[in-house]
């Protein structure tokens, strides 16, 4: 019986020590670093759970959203109910649930007014951000993809709007017209459109020269389909991160306008209006002003922290950082996961 040729045996046998199957069957510890399987991509909830600051921020924003959506159904008219005998009562556990955070000068529950104000504040900030996001992103993607004169015109319009401070525009317009929630939403939405327009334009201008966009254009795909299918999904994480940060700015602007007396008007109530109404009682009844101020601070800080987390989570090149244990992130911040022992 003739002996097989070693070269032929090595080529036909896929279970030898140098074959792919043998490498796959070899224990992970015995494989070289390049052959080790990369860790599976962690889910969004797992990445969020490993970041304590982002988790707390997400819980705070969720509570604020739930209070804004369902709080008025629970409190009824308690936010407007007056009781002069209970004027300026400090926070106490002996006055029932609605007395936990004290009362204002008219005896109204501060807790109930905080709940009512949360709905008013978010009903202004969220629509303003969504309107500016949709309009600005659509114009920016369209202008950035086509370029040329359309891009120049869009950028000049954005520059004109940005040349006027948004708070100053809001003050002038609301002083001329009646201050209402709808007018505030329209003014803030128009003032924030250039932010999304310029961001989306930069993303589209960078992506329009990519090979996959050229391939889609070569096959005759319409421009609107290229923007919707190929450019928008890549630019969307950046736009959502900007929107989260812009939510803080819009909410602070609404609170500033209400504090100045040209924003939300009584009998409606917002957090900024509550701060304004209680500032003259700051020494004798601090809770009227401090508590809505803390609500503004906690909400804006939580949105900022969550935006920073979302920026990393939506970046494929940086997402692996969130899969590391918290105690190893500082030392392994610049080391890819396959090189971590």
């Amino acid at each position: 019986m003739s002996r097989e040729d070693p070269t032929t045996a090595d080529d036909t046998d896929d279970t030898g020590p140098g074959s792919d199957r043998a490498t796959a069957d070899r224990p992970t510890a015995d494989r070289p670093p390049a052959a080790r399987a990369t860790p599976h991509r962690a889910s969004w909830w797992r990445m969020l759970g490993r970041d304590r600051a982002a988790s707390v921020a997400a819980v705070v924003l969720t509570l604020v959203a739930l209070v804004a959506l369902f709080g008025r159904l629970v409190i009824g008219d308690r936010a407007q109910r007056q009781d002069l005998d209970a004027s300026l009562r400090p926070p106490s556990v002996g006055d029932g649930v609605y007395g936990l955070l004290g009362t204002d000068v008219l005896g109204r529950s501060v807790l109930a007014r905080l709940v009512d104000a949360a709905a008013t504040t978010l009903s202004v900030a969220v629509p303003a951000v969504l309107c500016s996001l949709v309009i600005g992103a659509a114009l920016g993607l369209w202008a950035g993809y086509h370029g040329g004169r359309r891009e120049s015109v869009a950028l000049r319009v954005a520059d004109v709007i940005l040349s006027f401070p948004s708070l100053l525009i809001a003050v002038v317009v609301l002083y001329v017209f009646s201050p209402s929630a709808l007018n505030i939403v329209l003014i803030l939405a128009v003032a924030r459109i250039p932010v999304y327009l310029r961001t989306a334009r930069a993303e589209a201008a960078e992506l329009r020269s990519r090979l996959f966009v050229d391939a889609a254009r070569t096959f005759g795909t319409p421009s609107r389909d290229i923007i919707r299918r190929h450019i928008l999904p890549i630019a969307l994480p950046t736009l959502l991160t900007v929107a989260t940060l812009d939510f803080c700015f819009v909410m602070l602007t609404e609170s500033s306008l209400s504090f100045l007396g040209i924003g939300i008007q009584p009998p409606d109530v917002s957090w900024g209006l509550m701060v304004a109404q209680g500032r003259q009682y700051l020494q004798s009844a601090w809770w009227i002003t401090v508590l809505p101020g803390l609500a503004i601070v906690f909400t804006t800080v939580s949105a900022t922290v969550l935006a920073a987390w979302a920026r990393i989570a939506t970046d494929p090149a940086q997402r692996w950082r969130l899969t590391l244990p918290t105690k190893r992130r500082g030392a392994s911040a610049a080391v890819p996961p396959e090189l971590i022992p």
Side-chain angles (χ1 to χ4, degrees):
M1 181 176 61
S2 61
R3 182 180 301 176
E4 289 185 354
D5 185 11
T7 306
T8 306
D10 292 339
D11 292 341
T12 57
D13 187 7
D14 59 354
T15 60
S19 63
D20 295 338
R21 181 179 301 179
T23 304
D25 295 337
R26 190 185 306 172
T28 304
D30 298 335
R31 300 184 197 175
R36 295 178 187 174
T38 58
H40 67 280
R41 183 167 59 183
S43 63
W44 292 95
W45 293 112
R46 183 177 300 176
M47 289 190 296
L48 182 61
R50 290 186 175 182
D51 194 319
R52 296 179 181 177
S55 301
V56 174
V59 170
V60 172
L61 291 179
T62 301
L63 291 177
V64 172
L66 292 176
V67 168
L69 290 175
F70 305 107
R72 287 177 173 174
L73 299 178
V74 177
I75 64 174
D77 63 342
R78 294 288 307 194
Q80 306 299 335
R81 191 180 302 177
Q82 301 180 10
D83 185 6
L84 297 180
D85 293 335
S87 176
L88 299 180
R89 285 186 179 177
S92 174
V93 295
D95 296 330
V97 176
Y98 293 104
L100 289 176
L101 301 183
T103 60
D104 62 1
V105 66
L106 297 178
R108 295 171 296 190
S109 172
V110 174
L111 175 61
R113 290 178 65 79
L114 282 174
V115 173
D116 192 14
T120 303
T121 301
L122 294 189
S123 67
V124 172
V126 174
V129 171
L130 290 179
C131 291
S132 58
L133 170 63
V134 173
I135 298 175
L139 293 176
L141 293 175
W142 172 78
Y145 175 77
H146 292 286
R149 182 175 300 177
R150 282 170 281 194
E151 183 179 14
S152 299
V153 171
L155 289 178
R156 297 297 79 77
V157 172
D159 292 339
V160 170
I161 298 176
L162 286 176
S163 62
F164 297 96
S166 57
L167 184 59
L168 178 60
I169 296 177
V171 170
V172 173
V173 174
L174 292 176
Y175 183 79
V176 175
F177 299 96
S178 60
S180 63
L182 179 60
N183 290 337
I184 296 175
V185 170
L186 294 177
I187 294 169
L188 295 180
V190 172
R192 305 307 295 172
I193 285 177
V195 176
Y196 304 97
L197 191 153
R198 295 172 70 92
T199 303
R201 199 278 315 173
E203 292 284 339
E206 192 273 334
L207 294 172
R208 68 187 177 190
S209 60
R210 296 288 185 89
L211 291 179
F212 63 90
V213 176
D214 290 337
R217 192 184 300 112
T218 302
F219 283 103
T221 306
S223 299
R224 62 179 180 275
D225 292 336
I226 295 177
I227 295 174
R228 178 171 55 88
R229 296 177 182 177
H230 301 290
I231 298 180
L232 178 60
I234 300 177
L236 189 59
T238 302
L239 293 172
L240 292 179
T241 303
V242 174
T244 306
L245 293 173
D246 199 45
F247 168 79
C248 304
F249 177 85
V250 171
M251 192 176 70
L252 291 174
T253 303
E254 182 276 326
S255 300
S256 301
L257 293 173
S258 299
F259 182 83
L260 295 174
I262 56 177
I264 301 299
Q265 300 295 311
D268 295 331
V269 60
S270 69
W271 287 337
L273 182 61
M274 291 183 65
V275 174
Q277 291 176 341
R279 66 182 185 275
Q280 56 183 333
Y281 305 102
L282 189 58
Q283 294 183 351
S284 58
W286 56 267
W287 55 90
I288 303 177
T289 300
V290 172
L291 294 180
L294 290 177
I296 296 174
V297 171
F298 287 153
T299 305
T300 54
V301 170
S302 299
T304 303
V305 172
L306 196 62
W309 174 87
R311 180 182 58 82
I312 300 176
T314 55
D315 187 357
Q318 303 293 330
R319 188 181 301 146
W320 61 269
R321 300 174 186 270
L322 300 177
T323 63
L324 299 177
T326 305
K327 61 182 180 180
R328 299 181 60 180
R329 289 182 188 175
S332 308
V335 183
E338 61 269 14
L339 299 181
I340 298 176

